[in-house]
Amino acid sequence: MMDTEVFEFLFCVAAFGWIVYMAFKQKMHKQDPASFKFLALIFVGLLLAFICFIIPGGAKYTFVLVGVTMGGMSTKIFYGNIKSVVVCNEAINGIYQGYNSYHSETVSSYAPIFKYKYNGQTYVRQCSNTYSFKKLDKEMVKGNEYHIYINPKNPSSFVLNKRVGIKNVLCLMFGIMCIFIGLSALFV
């Protein structure tokens, strides 16, 4: 007979599987293949963790897989934010067009949209990183020109400033810590 922990874990894996299915149904795999692969990998990690969880003696591997999956997810996200600050190193002027907003139950983030020219081509793109509403609402005026930093190898990628930010560093460190804590279960 399965206990409640197994059902709870199964529910979480199934719920995340539903999210991946809905992302696939909305053609996310075509619109943003990297993000879809990322979601799919998290689902596979959680599914493997569940399989280990129901196998006798496999609980420690569940801890490893959950730690590595969740730590890997956090590390990938915040490493990407830090990397975009490093590779977007050419300053140009762009015209602020507004922002896209992303809301969850606990956090909201906002990605500014700019129109700019680089090497004769015009781009209207969303920023690689997200910012607080306060920064965009109080410091940015739609239609005004601002300095932005583009990636010269991929001019459709840009950031507003060259600061990494403590949030990105702390979250990257948290992700790495989760990976190591998860892996430590192998030695217990």
Side-chain angles (χ1 to χ4, degrees), residues 19-94:
I19 291 169
V20 173
Y21 169 72
M22 292 307 292
F24 181 79
K25 193 172 177 183
Q26 296 295 320
K27 307 225 184 301
M28 183 180 178
H29 61 288
K30 291 182 180 177
Q31 298 166 356
D32 191 355
S35 294
F36 183 77
K37 285 178 192 173
F38 185 61
L39 281 176
L41 283 173
I42 293 169
F43 174 68
V44 168
L46 291 174
L47 185 61
L48 288 173
F50 175 74
I51 291 168
C52 287
F53 190 70
I54 59 175
I55 295 172
K60 85 174 186 179
Y61 300 110
T62 298
F63 190 78
V64 171
L65 285 166
V66 170
V68 170
T69 299
M70 301 314 276
M73 175 183 72
S74 178
T75 301
K76 168 106 172 75
I77 291 169
F78 293 100
Y79 172 76
N81 288 349
I82 293 168
K83 182 181 175 192
S84 66
V85 169
V86 173
V87 298
C88 295
N89 55 19
E90 188 169 328
I92 65 168
N93 288 328

